[in-house]
Amino acid sequence: MIEKSLSPVDVEFVTTLHGDETVSFVVLMQPRGDQDRLLRALDDVALGELEDAVHEGDEPEGEDATGPARLGLEHSLKSLREAGCEAVGRLVEDHPIDVLKTVSEETGADEVIVLTAPHYVEEFFHRDWASRARHKVGVPVLKLYAHSE
């Protein structure tokens, strides 16, 4: 599960986690939603990124975020395939953890990787994707922090 396009460093990181084993990915990406605006602003403040917190309302959300999310997903899938992996994916509009559980069961996933930026407020209250997924998906959940390009 990702929240932004994979950077080259992210692709290298996730494709080499298991050494020379052949791996395949089902990538789920959720477009930005306005329900998380306050939490994102608080995270920006916690990270000392006050300028980002001020401009949080300028970021596309809801339906306006679908196009950029789709492009980010396509870029991520292409990058994973270029690295020699099988990769499919889809955008997740609602209930990402429920979709993650269903996809994990349907594909027989060995593990789930949650690749996100730090979300200190959600992590503190164990409401981040990885914490919630650990209680629901039934396979190991690895939480990784995304790299900037």
Side-chain angles (χ1 to χ4, degrees):
M1 180 165 294
I2 61 174
E3 60 186 4
K4 68 178 190 116
S5 182
L6 297 176
S7 72
V9 174
D10 294 330
V11 171
E12 181 179 356
F13 194 36
V14 299
T15 58
T16 59
L17 281 172
H18 298 287
D20 293 333
E21 287 182 43
T22 302
V23 293
S24 61
F25 295 91
V26 177
V27 181
L28 303 177
M29 182 172 191
Q30 184 178 36
R32 290 173 64 105
D34 57 5
Q35 72 276 8
D36 298 329
R37 183 183 303 169
L38 176 61
L39 292 175
R40 289 192 309 261
L42 289 172
D43 284 336
D44 290 339
V45 170
L47 290 168
E49 298 170 353
L50 300 179
E51 187 69 23
D52 290 342
V54 169
H55 293 289
E56 189 60 49
D58 300 338
E59 294 292 326
E61 295 177 341
E63 291 198 20
D64 292 337
T66 301
R70 188 169 312 285
L71 289 174
L73 177 62
E74 289 171 7
H75 170 78
S76 298
L77 295 174
K78 181 180 178 211
S79 297
L80 289 167
R81 291 176 189 136
E82 288 174 351
C85 298
E86 291 181 28
V88 296
R90 71 184 209 204
L91 294 181
V92 178
E93 297 293 332
D94 295 314
H95 310 291
I97 303 302
D98 293 338
V99 174
L100 185 61
K101 179 180 192 284
T102 300
V103 169
S104 178
E105 290 170 350
E106 289 174 351
T107 62
D110 294 323
E111 72 182 347
V112 167
I113 298 172
V114 176
L115 187 71
T116 70
H119 297 291
Y120 297 114
V121 174
E122 291 179 53
E123 290 170 19
F124 180 78
F125 292 106
H126 302 282
R127 299 303 304 153
D128 59 298
W129 284 345
S131 296
R132 292 172 30 212
R134 285 187 182 106
H135 299 286
K136 202 150 193 175
V137 297
V139 296
V141 176
L142 179 60
K143 179 179 184 171
L144 302 174
Y145 290 117
H147 294 82
S148 298
E149 291 208 63

Short mmCIF file of all heavy atoms in Angstrom, two decimals, residues 95-129:
data_model
loop_
_atom_site.label_atom_id
_atom_site.label_comp_id
_atom_site.label_asym_id
_atom_site.label_seq_id
_atom_site.Cartn_x
_atom_site.Cartn_y
_atom_site.Cartn_z
N HIS A 95 -12.17 2.66 2.47
CA HIS A 95 -11.82 1.54 3.34
C HIS A 95 -10.56 0.79 2.87
O HIS A 95 -10.63 -0.39 2.54
CB HIS A 95 -13.00 0.58 3.47
CG HIS A 95 -14.28 1.26 3.82
ND1 HIS A 95 -14.48 1.84 5.05
CD2 HIS A 95 -15.40 1.49 3.10
CE1 HIS A 95 -15.69 2.37 5.08
NE2 HIS A 95 -16.27 2.20 3.91
N PRO A 96 -9.43 1.45 2.84
CA PRO A 96 -8.22 0.81 2.31
C PRO A 96 -7.80 -0.45 3.05
O PRO A 96 -7.29 -1.39 2.43
CB PRO A 96 -7.16 1.91 2.41
CG PRO A 96 -7.68 2.87 3.41
CD PRO A 96 -9.17 2.81 3.33
N ILE A 97 -8.01 -0.51 4.34
CA ILE A 97 -7.60 -1.70 5.09
C ILE A 97 -8.48 -2.89 4.73
O ILE A 97 -8.00 -4.02 4.62
CB ILE A 97 -7.60 -1.43 6.61
CG1 ILE A 97 -6.68 -0.24 6.94
CG2 ILE A 97 -7.19 -2.67 7.39
CD1 ILE A 97 -5.24 -0.40 6.51
N ASP A 98 -9.76 -2.66 4.52
CA ASP A 98 -10.65 -3.75 4.08
C ASP A 98 -10.22 -4.28 2.72
O ASP A 98 -10.19 -5.49 2.48
CB ASP A 98 -12.11 -3.28 4.03
CG ASP A 98 -12.67 -2.97 5.41
OD1 ASP A 98 -12.11 -3.49 6.41
OD2 ASP A 98 -13.65 -2.21 5.49
N VAL A 99 -9.90 -3.37 1.80
CA VAL A 99 -9.44 -3.77 0.46
C VAL A 99 -8.12 -4.52 0.58
O VAL A 99 -7.91 -5.55 -0.07
CB VAL A 99 -9.31 -2.55 -0.47
CG1 VAL A 99 -8.69 -2.95 -1.80
CG2 VAL A 99 -10.67 -1.90 -0.68
N LEU A 100 -7.23 -4.03 1.42
CA LEU A 100 -5.94 -4.69 1.64
C LEU A 100 -6.13 -6.12 2.13
O LEU A 100 -5.47 -7.05 1.66
CB LEU A 100 -5.11 -3.88 2.63
CG LEU A 100 -3.70 -4.35 2.89
CD1 LEU A 100 -2.86 -4.33 1.64
CD2 LEU A 100 -3.05 -3.45 3.96
N LYS A 101 -7.04 -6.31 3.06
CA LYS A 101 -7.33 -7.65 3.58
C LYS A 101 -7.87 -8.56 2.48
O LYS A 101 -7.41 -9.69 2.31
CB LYS A 101 -8.35 -7.57 4.72
CG LYS A 101 -8.72 -8.92 5.30
CD LYS A 101 -9.74 -8.75 6.42
CE LYS A 101 -9.93 -9.98 7.24
NZ LYS A 101 -10.69 -11.02 6.71
N THR A 102 -8.81 -8.06 1.69
CA THR A 102 -9.39 -8.86 0.61
C THR A 102 -8.34 -9.24 -0.43
O THR A 102 -8.24 -10.40 -0.83
CB THR A 102 -10.54 -8.07 -0.06
OG1 THR A 102 -11.53 -7.80 0.94
CG2 THR A 102 -11.16 -8.86 -1.19
N VAL A 103 -7.55 -8.27 -0.86
CA VAL A 103 -6.51 -8.54 -1.85
C VAL A 103 -5.48 -9.51 -1.30
O VAL A 103 -5.03 -10.43 -2.00
CB VAL A 103 -5.85 -7.22 -2.32
CG1 VAL A 103 -4.60 -7.48 -3.13
CG2 VAL A 103 -6.84 -6.38 -3.11
N SER A 104 -5.11 -9.35 -0.06
CA SER A 104 -4.15 -10.25 0.58
C SER A 104 -4.67 -11.69 0.58
O SER A 104 -3.93 -12.64 0.26
CB SER A 104 -3.87 -9.77 2.01
OG SER A 104 -2.99 -10.64 2.66
N GLU A 105 -5.93 -11.86 0.92
CA GLU A 105 -6.53 -13.20 0.93
C GLU A 105 -6.65 -13.77 -0.48
O GLU A 105 -6.33 -14.94 -0.71
CB GLU A 105 -7.91 -13.15 1.59
CG GLU A 105 -7.85 -12.90 3.09
CD GLU A 105 -9.21 -12.61 3.71
OE1 GLU A 105 -10.21 -12.42 2.96
OE2 GLU A 105 -9.28 -12.57 4.95
N GLU A 106 -7.12 -12.96 -1.42
CA GLU A 106 -7.33 -13.43 -2.79
C GLU A 106 -6.03 -13.82 -3.48
O GLU A 106 -6.01 -14.74 -4.30
CB GLU A 106 -8.04 -12.36 -3.62
CG GLU A 106 -9.49 -12.16 -3.25
CD GLU A 106 -10.13 -10.98 -3.98
OE1 GLU A 106 -9.42 -10.20 -4.65
OE2 GLU A 106 -11.37 -10.84 -3.86
N THR A 107 -4.95 -13.13 -3.18
CA THR A 107 -3.68 -13.39 -3.85
C THR A 107 -2.78 -14.35 -3.08
O THR A 107 -1.75 -14.78 -3.60
CB THR A 107 -2.90 -12.08 -4.08
OG1 THR A 107 -2.61 -11.48 -2.81
CG2 THR A 107 -3.68 -11.12 -4.96
N GLY A 108 -3.14 -14.68 -1.85
CA GLY A 108 -2.28 -15.53 -1.03
C GLY A 108 -0.98 -14.83 -0.68
O GLY A 108 0.09 -15.45 -0.67
N ALA A 109 -1.06 -13.55 -0.40
CA ALA A 109 0.14 -12.75 -0.11
C ALA A 109 0.93 -13.32 1.06
O ALA A 109 0.36 -13.81 2.04
CB ALA A 109 -0.26 -11.31 0.21
N ASP A 110 2.26 -13.26 0.93
CA ASP A 110 3.14 -13.70 2.02
C ASP A 110 3.33 -12.59 3.04
O ASP A 110 3.60 -12.87 4.21
CB ASP A 110 4.51 -14.08 1.46
CG ASP A 110 4.44 -15.31 0.58
OD1 ASP A 110 3.66 -16.24 0.88
OD2 ASP A 110 5.18 -15.35 -0.44
N GLU A 111 3.23 -11.36 2.59
CA GLU A 111 3.40 -10.21 3.48
C GLU A 111 2.78 -8.99 2.85
O GLU A 111 2.50 -8.96 1.65
CB GLU A 111 4.87 -9.95 3.81
CG GLU A 111 5.66 -9.37 2.67
CD GLU A 111 7.13 -9.15 2.99
OE1 GLU A 111 7.53 -9.21 4.16
OE2 GLU A 111 7.90 -8.91 2.04
N VAL A 112 2.59 -7.98 3.67
CA VAL A 112 2.08 -6.68 3.21
C VAL A 112 3.15 -5.64 3.52
O VAL A 112 3.73 -5.65 4.61
CB VAL A 112 0.77 -6.33 3.95
CG1 VAL A 112 0.40 -4.87 3.72
CG2 VAL A 112 -0.35 -7.25 3.51
N ILE A 113 3.41 -4.80 2.55
CA ILE A 113 4.33 -3.68 2.76
C ILE A 113 3.51 -2.40 2.71
O ILE A 113 2.79 -2.15 1.76
CB ILE A 113 5.42 -3.63 1.67
CG1 ILE A 113 6.27 -4.90 1.71
CG2 ILE A 113 6.30 -2.39 1.85
CD1 ILE A 113 7.25 -5.01 0.55
N VAL A 114 3.63 -1.62 3.76
CA VAL A 114 2.99 -0.30 3.81
C VAL A 114 4.12 0.71 3.70
O VAL A 114 4.99 0.78 4.56
CB VAL A 114 2.20 -0.11 5.12
CG1 VAL A 114 1.63 1.29 5.20
CG2 VAL A 114 1.10 -1.16 5.23
N LEU A 115 4.10 1.47 2.60
CA LEU A 115 5.17 2.43 2.32
C LEU A 115 4.57 3.83 2.35
O LEU A 115 3.83 4.21 1.44
CB LEU A 115 5.77 2.13 0.95
CG LEU A 115 7.00 2.92 0.54
CD1 LEU A 115 8.21 2.48 1.36
CD2 LEU A 115 7.27 2.73 -0.93
N THR A 116 4.84 4.57 3.42
CA THR A 116 4.24 5.89 3.58
C THR A 116 5.26 6.88 4.13
O THR A 116 6.33 6.50 4.58
CB THR A 116 3.05 5.86 4.57
OG1 THR A 116 3.55 5.63 5.89
CG2 THR A 116 2.04 4.81 4.23
N ALA A 117 4.86 8.13 4.11
CA ALA A 117 5.61 9.16 4.82
C ALA A 117 5.31 9.00 6.32
O ALA A 117 4.32 8.37 6.68
CB ALA A 117 5.16 10.54 4.34
N PRO A 118 6.15 9.53 7.18
CA PRO A 118 5.84 9.47 8.61
C PRO A 118 4.53 10.20 8.92
O PRO A 118 4.28 11.29 8.38
CB PRO A 118 7.02 10.18 9.27
CG PRO A 118 8.11 10.17 8.27
CD PRO A 118 7.44 10.18 6.92
N HIS A 119 3.72 9.59 9.73
CA HIS A 119 2.46 10.20 10.18
C HIS A 119 2.43 10.09 11.71
O HIS A 119 1.84 9.18 12.26
CB HIS A 119 1.25 9.48 9.57
CG HIS A 119 1.18 9.58 8.09
ND1 HIS A 119 0.93 10.77 7.45
CD2 HIS A 119 1.36 8.66 7.12
CE1 HIS A 119 0.94 10.56 6.14
NE2 HIS A 119 1.20 9.29 5.92
N TYR A 120 3.10 11.03 12.36
CA TYR A 120 3.33 10.92 13.79
C TYR A 120 2.06 10.87 14.62
O TYR A 120 1.97 10.11 15.58
CB TYR A 120 4.24 12.06 14.26
CG TYR A 120 5.60 11.98 13.64
CD1 TYR A 120 6.05 12.95 12.76
CD2 TYR A 120 6.43 10.89 13.89
CE1 TYR A 120 7.30 12.85 12.16
CE2 TYR A 120 7.67 10.78 13.31
CZ TYR A 120 8.11 11.76 12.44
OH TYR A 120 9.33 11.65 11.84
N VAL A 121 1.09 11.67 14.28
CA VAL A 121 -0.15 11.69 15.07
C VAL A 121 -0.86 10.34 14.96
O VAL A 121 -1.23 9.73 15.96
CB VAL A 121 -1.07 12.84 14.63
CG1 VAL A 121 -2.40 12.78 15.36
CG2 VAL A 121 -0.38 14.19 14.87
N GLU A 122 -1.04 9.86 13.73
CA GLU A 122 -1.70 8.58 13.53
C GLU A 122 -0.90 7.43 14.16
O GLU A 122 -1.48 6.52 14.74
CB GLU A 122 -1.91 8.33 12.04
CG GLU A 122 -2.92 9.26 11.42
CD GLU A 122 -3.07 9.01 9.94
OE1 GLU A 122 -3.32 7.86 9.56
OE2 GLU A 122 -2.94 9.97 9.17
N GLU A 123 0.42 7.47 14.02
CA GLU A 123 1.25 6.41 14.59
C GLU A 123 1.16 6.40 16.11
O GLU A 123 1.12 5.33 16.72
CB GLU A 123 2.70 6.59 14.13
CG GLU A 123 2.87 6.29 12.66
CD GLU A 123 4.23 6.69 12.13
OE1 GLU A 123 5.18 6.87 12.93
OE2 GLU A 123 4.34 6.84 10.90
N PHE A 124 1.14 7.57 16.71
CA PHE A 124 1.05 7.65 18.17
C PHE A 124 -0.21 6.95 18.67
O PHE A 124 -0.19 6.26 19.68
CB PHE A 124 1.08 9.11 18.62
CG PHE A 124 1.00 9.27 20.11
CD1 PHE A 124 2.11 9.05 20.90
CD2 PHE A 124 -0.20 9.60 20.72
CE1 PHE A 124 2.04 9.18 22.29
CE2 PHE A 124 -0.28 9.73 22.10
CZ PHE A 124 0.84 9.52 22.89
N PHE A 125 -1.31 7.14 17.96
CA PHE A 125 -2.58 6.53 18.36
C PHE A 125 -2.84 5.19 17.67
O PHE A 125 -3.93 4.64 17.78
CB PHE A 125 -3.74 7.50 18.07
CG PHE A 125 -3.71 8.72 18.94
CD1 PHE A 125 -3.32 9.95 18.43
CD2 PHE A 125 -4.05 8.63 20.29
CE1 PHE A 125 -3.28 11.07 19.24
CE2 PHE A 125 -4.00 9.75 21.10
CZ PHE A 125 -3.63 10.98 20.57
N HIS A 126 -1.83 4.67 16.97
CA HIS A 126 -1.94 3.38 16.27
C HIS A 126 -3.10 3.37 15.28
O HIS A 126 -3.80 2.37 15.15
CB HIS A 126 -2.05 2.22 17.25
CG HIS A 126 -0.90 2.16 18.19
ND1 HIS A 126 0.32 1.65 17.84
CD2 HIS A 126 -0.77 2.58 19.48
CE1 HIS A 126 1.15 1.75 18.86
NE2 HIS A 126 0.53 2.31 19.87
N ARG A 127 -3.29 4.47 14.59
CA ARG A 127 -4.35 4.59 13.59
C ARG A 127 -3.77 4.66 12.18
O ARG A 127 -4.49 4.89 11.23
CB ARG A 127 -5.23 5.83 13.85
CG ARG A 127 -5.93 5.83 15.19
CD ARG A 127 -6.83 4.62 15.43
NE ARG A 127 -7.81 4.47 14.38
CZ ARG A 127 -8.35 3.32 14.02
NH1 ARG A 127 -8.02 2.21 14.62
NH2 ARG A 127 -9.25 3.26 13.05
N ASP A 128 -2.46 4.48 12.03
CA ASP A 128 -1.84 4.48 10.72
C ASP A 128 -2.16 3.16 10.01
O ASP A 128 -2.60 2.19 10.63
CB ASP A 128 -0.33 4.68 10.84
CG ASP A 128 0.33 3.61 11.68
OD1 ASP A 128 -0.01 3.52 12.88
OD2 ASP A 128 1.15 2.85 11.14
N TRP A 129 -1.95 3.13 8.71
CA TRP A 129 -2.30 1.95 7.92
C TRP A 129 -1.62 0.68 8.43
O TRP A 129 -2.26 -0.36 8.55
CB TRP A 129 -1.89 2.14 6.47
CG TRP A 129 -2.79 3.04 5.67
CD1 TRP A 129 -4.05 3.47 6.00
CD2 TRP A 129 -2.50 3.61 4.41
NE1 TRP A 129 -4.54 4.28 5.00
CE2 TRP A 129 -3.62 4.38 4.01
CE3 TRP A 129 -1.40 3.56 3.56
CZ2 TRP A 129 -3.66 5.07 2.82
CZ3 TRP A 129 -1.45 4.25 2.37
CH2 TRP A 129 -2.56 4.99 2.01
#
